[in-house]
Amino acid sequence: MKEPYLTRFKQLILSGSASRDIHDAGDGPGAPGRGGERASAAFLMREVDRVRMHTAGLCVLLADHIATAAMVLDVGCGTGGTTVALALSALAPKQVIGVDADVSTLEAAEVRALGHDLEPQKVSFQHVPAGEPLPFASASFDLVTCVSVLEFITLPAARERFIRELLRVLRPGGYLFLATPSPFRLRDYHSHRFLGDWRRTPGHPWATPPWVIARWLHGHERVPLAVYRVRRRRALRFAGPFAGLLQWAFPWQQWLVIRHEESRSESGAGTG
C-alpha cells in the first residue's frame, strides 16, 4: 500500500476501525472485537498485511478452481483486504464490491483500495447493517466470498438466512466461497476460550459444525477441496487418501460451491 494512504490506513486502525466483529447483539465482558480498544501493534500489522496474505492463499485457491469472475461480491469485507486482493487477482474481475456492517471499517477499506491504485469503478464498498438483506438483485454476481463472518452471527437461524442471502445474489453457475473456523478445537479460534465453539456464550463467536453448513448448502454442487488443501501443505502431501479426515484438523473450514439453477436453500431448510 503506497503513501499517503498507508499512513492514513494505520491511523484509522489505531483509532478503532476493525475493532468490532459482532454487530447483531451486545458484546459480553471480555468478548473479542469490542469497540473502544486501541489496536495492538500485532493487530495493526495483520491488517496491513491482509492483501498479501489473501493474494498468496485465497486468490490462489480460487484461481485454481475458477477461470474468471467478472462481478465479485465480498461480504463482511472488513478493511478490504480480501476485496482488494480479489480485484488484483488472476480472476480479472471487472468490478468487486465489498459490504460490511461497520461504517468505520469501510472508511479504512476505501483508503486501502486507493493505496493500491484501485478506482471506485473497479472496487467499491457499501454499508449493510447486520441482519439486513443484501441490496442487490438476485443472480447479480459470478463469485461471492465470505471470509470469517459466519462465526460472528449470533443465532443459528440468522446464519441460515445469511447463507440463503449469499446464494440469492449469486447467478446460477456462480461460485460461493465460505471460510469459517472449524469447531474441532479445544479452544475457539478467535477468543481462545476452552470449548468456546460449543458453549456459545452471548457476545462471543462460535463455529458452525460442518454438517450444519452442508445442510444449508444442500442442493448446490460442492467443489471438493480436501485433497487440494492437504497437498498444498508440503508435509502432508503423502496423505492424499486421508485428506477428507485431515482437512478437519485445519483451523479453518473452507467451502466452495456452485449455485444450481433451482436453489433448494431458498425454499427454507431447517436450522441447526
Side-chain angles (χ1 to χ4, degrees):
M1 195 186 324
K2 69 181 185 180
E3 294 289 4
Y5 303 103
L6 177 58
T7 295
R8 177 56 180 156
F9 180 84
K10 290 180 177 179
Q11 291 171 342
L12 288 167
I13 299 302
L14 290 173
S15 67
S17 291
S19 66
R20 186 179 179 91
D21 293 310
I22 298 178
H23 298 277
D24 63 355
D27 293 338
R34 293 168 57 199
E37 296 180 354
R38 183 174 176 83
S40 67
F43 182 86
L44 175 63
M45 288 301 100
R46 284 197 301 272
E47 284 298 320
V48 170
D49 197 44
R50 286 194 186 279
V51 172
R52 185 205 61 78
M53 179 185 70
H54 289 305
T55 296
L58 171 60
C59 292
V60 172
L61 181 153
L62 293 175
D64 284 346
H65 292 87
I66 305 172
T68 59
M71 294 294 297
V72 178
L73 178 65
D74 183 25
V75 180
C77 65
T79 62
T82 309
T83 318
V84 168
L86 289 166
L88 298 171
S89 73
L91 296 173
K94 294 181 179 178
Q95 185 178 18
V96 184
I97 301 174
V99 300
D100 200 88
D102 189 333
V103 174
S104 67
T105 297
L106 292 176
E107 182 180 357
E110 291 171 350
V111 171
R112 189 199 292 274
L114 292 172
H116 285 85
D117 295 319
L118 293 168
E119 297 296 331
Q121 295 84 351
K122 179 69 175 279
V123 174
S124 60
F125 299 95
Q126 294 190 37
H127 175 239
V128 178
E132 293 294 318
L134 294 170
F136 308 106
S138 299
S140 294
F141 295 93
D142 302 294
L143 169 65
V144 175
T145 60
C146 182
V147 177
S148 190
V149 176
L150 194 64
E151 64 269 25
F152 293 110
I153 298 175
T154 303
L155 300 175
R159 296 185 181 198
E160 183 181 11
R161 290 193 298 272
F162 178 72
I163 293 294
R164 288 205 303 267
E165 189 67 1
L166 299 182
L167 291 165
R168 179 188 66 79
V169 299
L170 188 64
R171 69 166 177 81
Y175 290 82
L176 168 64
F177 176 81
L178 178 69
T180 190
S182 170
F184 304 128
R185 302 164 57 90
L186 289 178
R187 296 181 182 273
D188 79 80
Y189 183 86
H190 294 288
S191 66
H192 310 295
R193 296 184 312 130
F194 184 70
L195 296 180
D197 290 316
W198 304 102
R199 289 158 59 190
R200 302 187 182 184
T201 307
H204 291 269
W206 55 274
T208 303
W211 54 87
V212 175
I213 296 177
R215 185 168 74 244
W216 293 342
L217 296 174
H218 181 68
H220 305 281
E221 180 182 349
R222 183 175 173 185
V223 177
L225 295 179
V227 172
Y228 174 87
R229 296 182 69 192
V230 169
R231 287 180 176 172
R232 286 202 68 194
R233 288 158 174 79
R234 187 170 301 174
L236 298 177
R237 288 181 181 177
F238 70 92
F242 307 100
L245 294 175
L246 286 175
Q247 68 171 332
W248 301 119
F250 298 157
W252 288 87
Q253 303 181 60
Q254 293 184 343
W255 299 78
L256 183 63
V257 298
I258 304 172
R259 185 191 190 277
H260 278 181
E261 185 72 36
E262 293 186 3
S263 171
R264 295 182 190 178
S265 66
E266 293 178 4
S267 66
T271 62

